[in-house]
Amino acid sequence: MTNRISPRDWEALSAYLDNQLGKQEYQQLETRLSAEGDLQKALDELRKTRQLLRSIPKYRAPRSFALTPAMVGIKNRGSSQQGAFTMLRLASFLATFFFLFITVGSLIVETNQPVQTVMMSSEIENAREGPPFGMGGGGGGEPVEQPAPAPLPTQEAQVSSLDQESEIVEGGVLEATTSVEGSVVESPEAFQAFTAPMEPQTVDQPVAGEEPVQKANSLQPGAETEPETETKEPSPILLILRVVQVTLAILALITGVGAFLLRRKFL
Amino acid sequence: MDEAALIQLARKGDLDAFNRLVMAYQDMVFNQAYRMISEFDVAEDAAQEAFIIAYRKLNTYRGGSFKAWLLRIVTNLCYDELRRRKRRPTTPLEPVDQDDEEIESPRWLSDPGESPEAAAERAELGRALQGCLNDLPEDFKAIVTLVDIQGMDYAEAAEVIGTPLGTVKSRLARARMRLRDCLQGFWELLPPSFRLLEESDT
């Protein structure tokens, strides 16, 4: 009986099952269904067919269909990125290592530099003081025998004894010492002058002998500051180290950021 | 992360993002392929190929339903496979899954207290249903699979097969009519739930 149903009726029945009919078509079909048994039977068979189809089990995928880079032809790209990542990581590590090495090295050099300066200054101080004078003090005991520098054996000894005498007499140690530093005692008469209260002109007395003059010159204030100005100038090695240090820091930063970005792609 | 964001990432070459979409849709894609081709291994290959094509042509996706776009790809692949078979017909073996069990085994219709006879009947019904699907023309098979098995509405199905809504409606009706005719001899094999439905309808 259902064989008499037209294709248009089948289409309407199918759409009716899926609620795809318009309101008017729906009402018309409802009216026909209540009146035509064949149409109702066809609808029932169609409903069963549809129900059977919808009850078909859905299989699970037999395996994962997730894609690998090789499947979609990005193997080379992936391996090149992997290589770049490895290179950047290595470069970053090496740059960081050498940067730290040079930083520590330059710090050590810089910390040694003031020590050398201090050492040089202390040498200058020793030279200024010349042969060790009597340490003064209120004891006024026997003058200590000090080895004098070779060029001025007698003069230094005389200055030493003069110093002690000046302390005993009336001049301060500093005054006597100052006068000795600025001048050189030449003769026994001069010793008498030193035993008298210090006068300014003793400083301006003529200097005899080349070596004492040289020594005195080396102790001038201008001569004292010369070594200090030399230590303040950065050495070429330190400059090179600074350049290398900055270059390595930049390199470590760039390669590190690059490796980090690539790593985010892989992980 | 939502689907649109994953698609955007996948477009930029993020394979992991795309694989998350694969995981979400692989069952659906495989079932579409299997119901159209009716061979487990071939359906598996078609599903895999569909995802590869989808990844490569992701830039051609212009929004809309991603599910429909994927189903369109796999349905077209199934068309190609069915046409290839027509040119070089082969005698299909009994479909088996990876465990060498028949695909239309009683599992999908079985219940724990089912007798062996009932299980055999269900298996027979399942094979009959798949056989009837296989006898449908390609276009009918595609539309009935999309609407009645995948559960898509007419508009989505029209988007998948690229036809107007009216065409979907008429093809679906004719497909169902053919299936009804094909299954005429198997109604007695229907599970009790179907029989109850039939009785309640009458």
Side-chain angles (χ1 to χ4, degrees):
Chain A
M1 296 293 284
T2 55
N3 291 335
R4 293 178 187 172
I5 296 174
S6 68
R8 181 176 288 274
D9 287 341
W10 281 114
E11 191 175 320
L13 290 172
S14 175
Y16 175 82
L17 288 174
D18 295 328
N19 292 320
Q20 294 290 326
L21 286 179
K23 193 175 179 182
Q24 193 176 356
E25 289 175 305
Y26 185 84
Q27 288 174 345
Q28 286 176 353
L29 189 61
E30 286 268 292
T31 307
R32 285 185 64 196
L33 282 170
S34 58
E36 300 176 30
D38 286 352
L39 199 63
Q40 181 64 53
K41 188 180 178 186
L43 179 66
D44 292 340
E45 290 177 355
L46 208 58
R47 182 181 282 123
K48 277 193 291 185
T49 305
R50 178 173 170 271
Q51 180 101 4
L52 190 59
L53 286 167
R54 296 197 168 198
S55 69
I56 280 184
K58 293 193 172 51
Y59 290 107
R60 299 199 65 170
R63 62 178 173 82
S64 169
F65 293 123
L67 303 183
T68 63
M71 282 181 187
V72 290
I74 56 174
K75 187 177 181 181
N76 291 334
R77 186 179 158 204
S79 61
S80 67
Q81 283 187 347
Q82 183 75 43
F85 170 67
T86 308
M87 287 288 291
L88 283 173
R89 192 174 56 177
L90 180 65
S92 175
F93 171 77
L94 289 176
T96 307
F97 175 78
F98 285 116
F99 170 75
L100 291 174
F101 180 78
I102 289 175
T103 302
V104 171
S106 62
L107 277 174
I108 292 170
V109 170
E110 284 173 1
T111 50
N112 282 342
Q113 200 74 16
V115 172
Q116 288 175 357
T117 307
V118 168
M119 287 173 66
M120 290 175 71
S121 301
S122 64
E123 285 172 4
I124 291 166
E125 283 297 321
N126 291 336
R128 178 191 295 175
E129 290 170 1
F133 296 121
M135 296 306 289
E142 289 292 322
V144 179
E145 289 291 330
Q146 296 288 342
L152 297 169
T154 56
Q155 291 172 357
E156 293 292 335
Q158 289 166 355
V159 170
S160 176
S161 59
L162 176 63
D163 181 38
Q164 289 179 0
E165 283 183 6
S166 65
E167 287 174 12
I168 293 166
V169 177
E170 56 185 3
V173 175
L174 285 174
E175 288 179 54
T177 305
T178 304
S179 65
V180 170
E181 281 177 358
S183 62
V184 176
V185 180
E186 188 179 12
S187 61
E189 288 79 13
F191 285 116
Q192 299 300 323
F194 277 108
T195 56
M198 298 302 293
E199 295 178 6
Q201 61 266 23
T202 56
V203 176
D204 297 329
Q205 284 181 356
V207 177
E210 292 181 359
E211 288 178 3
V213 169
Q214 287 173 358
K215 185 177 178 182
N217 288 339
S218 69
L219 298 177
Q220 292 298 318
E224 287 175 16
T225 56
E226 191 174 346
E228 289 177 2
T229 54
E230 280 180 8
T231 54
K232 282 178 184 174
E233 289 175 5
S235 69
I237 294 173
L238 277 178
L239 276 176
I240 292 169
L241 281 178
R242 283 274 181 265
V243 171
V244 173
Q245 205 174 356
V246 170
T247 307
L248 283 173
I250 292 169
L251 187 65
L253 193 66
I254 291 171
T255 53
V257 169
F260 176 73
L261 291 177
L262 279 177
R263 181 175 177 271
R264 285 183 64 188
K265 273 194 168 184
F266 289 123
L267 298 181
Chain B
M1 195 176 290
D2 65 345
E3 186 177 283
L6 289 173
I7 291 168
Q8 282 301 319
L9 286 173
R11 274 180 167 166
K12 293 174 185 172
D14 189 337
L15 196 56
D16 292 335
F18 184 78
N19 280 335
R20 289 176 69 180
L21 295 167
V22 171
M23 290 298 145
Y25 290 114
Q26 63 179 3
D27 290 346
M28 178 198 72
V29 168
F30 173 74
N31 274 281
Q32 179 71 13
Y34 174 68
R35 291 302 171 191
M36 285 195 71
I37 297 173
S38 186
E39 279 190 42
F40 209 83
D41 292 340
V42 181
E44 195 177 324
D45 292 344
Q48 184 69 81
E49 184 66 18
F51 283 117
I52 292 172
I53 291 172
Y55 181 78
R56 287 178 178 164
K57 297 192 172 180
L58 202 54
N59 287 329
T60 65
Y61 169 66
R62 298 283 177 242
S65 169
F66 187 71
K67 173 185 170 185
W69 186 72
L70 275 178
L71 282 173
R72 183 172 194 164
I73 292 172
V74 73
T75 302
N76 286 335
L77 282 172
C78 292
Y79 280 151
D80 294 343
E81 174 63 22
L82 293 171
R83 285 167 195 156
R84 190 187 62 77
R85 287 182 178 192
K86 275 186 184 173
R87 289 195 298 270
R88 287 181 291 175
T90 55
T91 304
L93 299 171
E94 193 68 26
V96 293
D97 63 14
Q98 56 193 357
D99 299 325
D100 289 337
E101 291 181 3
E102 288 183 9
I103 295 302
E104 294 298 350
S105 63
R107 278 180 299 164
W108 67 277
L109 290 170
S110 65
D111 61 64
E114 194 175 40
S115 66
E117 292 79 13
E121 284 178 358
R122 285 174 188 277
E124 189 179 353
L125 182 60
R127 280 194 293 273
L129 189 55
Q130 186 63 48
C132 291
L133 275 173
N134 292 343
D135 289 340
L136 289 176
E138 294 167 12
D139 292 339
F140 289 7
K141 194 189 299 186
I143 198 69
V144 83
T145 306
L146 290 169
V147 174
D148 282 336
I149 296 177
Q150 300 287 359
M152 302 183 94
D153 60 30
Y154 286 17
E156 281 182 312
E159 191 181 342
V160 170
I161 60 176
T163 57
L165 211 63
T167 307
V168 170
K169 200 182 284 186
S170 63
R171 282 184 187 173
L172 182 63
R174 282 186 281 170
R176 284 171 173 170
M177 190 176 70
R178 286 197 182 205
L179 285 170
R180 179 202 69 109
D181 293 341
C182 179
L183 291 168
Q184 281 294 336
F186 296 95
W187 292 130
E188 64 273 16
L189 299 175
L190 282 174
S193 59
F194 285 85
R195 290 173 195 159
L196 289 172
L197 179 69
E198 188 177 8
E199 288 165 6
S200 66
D201 288 343
T202 55

